[in-house]
């Protein structure tokens, strides 16, 4: 039995409320997507275990709802950062939505105040509410785990709906590898994250699986 150590981590939520002409999306409707993000943002912001939250939206959508909710929960115990940009309109949509996610992550580590002073990150696709999050959090040994993720399909595919890692892992592996995301060539974001994991592990990083 491990006593839950006080861990310093930040949750990163990436969002695209208005996807524009992004191909192959299951949920295209802007209203539907906005409601997904509202629901999940509320889910995460209410969690006592989340002390730092970075929400980044890349379609320049009006984020009043998110700012208003953040104001209610932001206190000495909880830091919330909401970042907004129009990076979704800055790349060839054929590269796929994962390329937009790469640009979001790159932006987080470039401009986020929270990211600058945090050493460990959990990234969740912005529309997802992870019901068993506390179990997952309890399972991560932040002192021993550089990377926390599941790989499948002969280590070629990563479950990037929720994964975690040290800042070094994100900066040195995730960002460089996911910059190669290209849906037309069959290199989806999840493949690139898997490559990042394999490269990091071969360089001596420690890997834990999500049960």
């Amino acid at each position: 039995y491990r006593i839950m150590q006080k861990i310093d981590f930040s949750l990163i939520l990436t969002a695209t409320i208005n996807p524009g002409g992004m191909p192959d999306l299951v949920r295209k409707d802007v209203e539907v997507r906005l409601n997904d993000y509202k629901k999940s943002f509320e889910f995460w912001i209410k969690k006592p275990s989340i002390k730092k939250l970075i929400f980044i939206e890349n379609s320049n959508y009006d984020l009043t709802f998110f700012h208003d909710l953040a104001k209610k929960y932001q206190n000495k115990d909880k830091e919330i950062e909401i970042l907004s940009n129009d990076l979704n309109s800055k790349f060839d949509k054929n590269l796929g939505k994962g390329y937009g996610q790469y640009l979001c992550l790159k932006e987080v580590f470039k401009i986020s105040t929270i990211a600058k002073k945090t050493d460990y990150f959990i990234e969740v696709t912005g529309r997802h509410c992870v019901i068993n999050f506390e179990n997952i959090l309890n399972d991560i040994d932040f002192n021993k785990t550089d990377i926390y993720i599941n790989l499948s399909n002969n280590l070629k595919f990563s479950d990037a709906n929720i994964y975690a890692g040290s800042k070094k892992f994100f900066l040195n592996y995730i960002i460089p590898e996911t910059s190669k995301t290209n849906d037309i060539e069959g290199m989806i974001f999840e493949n690139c994250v898997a490559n990042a994991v394999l490269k990091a592990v071969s360089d001596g990083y420690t890997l834990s699986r999500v049960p």
Side-chain angles (χ1 to χ4, degrees):
Y1 177 72
R2 192 162 56 78
I3 293 163
M4 182 69 191
Q5 74 267 55
K6 178 100 177 66
I7 337 152
D8 181 36
F9 73 93
S10 174
L11 182 76
I12 300 174
L13 297 175
T14 53
T16 307
I17 295 171
N18 182 356
M22 187 64 70
D24 303 323
L25 282 187
V26 180
R27 293 164 99 83
K28 289 187 172 68
D29 186 290
V30 176
E31 276 305 300
V32 172
R33 293 178 68 88
L34 175 61
N35 286 328
D36 286 348
Y37 287 121
K38 281 180 172 176
K39 198 171 90 183
S40 93
F41 187 68
E42 201 156 350
F43 170 86
W44 290 110
I45 210 169
K46 284 180 173 170
K47 283 208 165 300
S49 56
I50 307 278
K51 306 291 184 206
K52 295 179 180 180
L53 195 160
I54 302 165
F55 178 85
I56 181 162
E57 202 284 328
N58 70 353
S59 69
N60 237 353
Y61 200 85
D62 174 10
L63 300 180
T64 308
F65 169 88
F66 301 89
H67 284 289
D68 289 349
L69 196 59
K71 278 190 197 102
K72 281 186 199 159
Y73 286 89
Q74 186 116 337
N75 57 35
K76 61 181 188 333
D77 205 27
K78 206 184 264 283
E79 284 181 87
I80 301 152
E81 207 170 0
I82 294 174
L83 307 174
S84 172
N85 59 60
D86 64 343
L87 290 169
N88 191 50
S89 62
K90 298 274 192 280
F91 64 94
D92 176 356
K93 293 286 188 290
N94 290 315
L95 292 171
K97 64 181 191 299
Y99 192 83
Q101 200 168 343
Y102 145 70
L103 290 174
C104 278
L105 285 173
K106 189 177 163 197
E107 188 75 355
V108 163
F109 287 96
K110 197 168 86 184
I111 67 167
S112 157
T113 326
I114 292 177
K116 285 185 175 43
K117 54 179 187 185
T118 307
D119 288 329
Y120 208 91
F121 297 85
I122 299 177
E123 202 220 328
V124 174
T125 312
R127 297 200 333 266
H128 291 228
C129 301
V130 181
I131 307 300
N132 62 339
F133 180 72
E134 304 307 324
N135 296 351
I136 289 175
L137 194 56
N138 280 324
D139 186 62
I140 303 179
D141 189 340
F142 289 82
N143 298 321
K144 296 191 183 128
T145 299
D146 298 318
I147 313 162
Y148 187 80
I149 196 166
N150 282 346
L151 299 183
S152 58
N153 188 21
N154 213 7
L155 306 181
K156 288 194 205 54
F157 186 87
S158 65
D159 182 356
N161 291 314
I162 177 167
Y163 65 101
S166 63
K167 183 187 273 178
K168 279 184 179 161
F169 170 61
F170 274 90
L171 288 175
N172 300 337
Y173 299 91
I174 287 287
I175 289 169
E177 287 306 314
T178 56
S179 73
K180 301 169 190 170
T181 300
N182 185 330
D183 285 16
I184 332 163
E185 290 179 5
M187 268 308 280
I188 61 170
F189 184 80
E190 287 78 1
N191 301 140
C192 296
V193 170
N195 286 347
V197 172
L198 297 179
K199 285 191 175 176
V201 168
S202 75
D203 288 343
Y205 280 57
T206 51
L207 169 66
S208 293
R209 288 177 56 80
V210 186

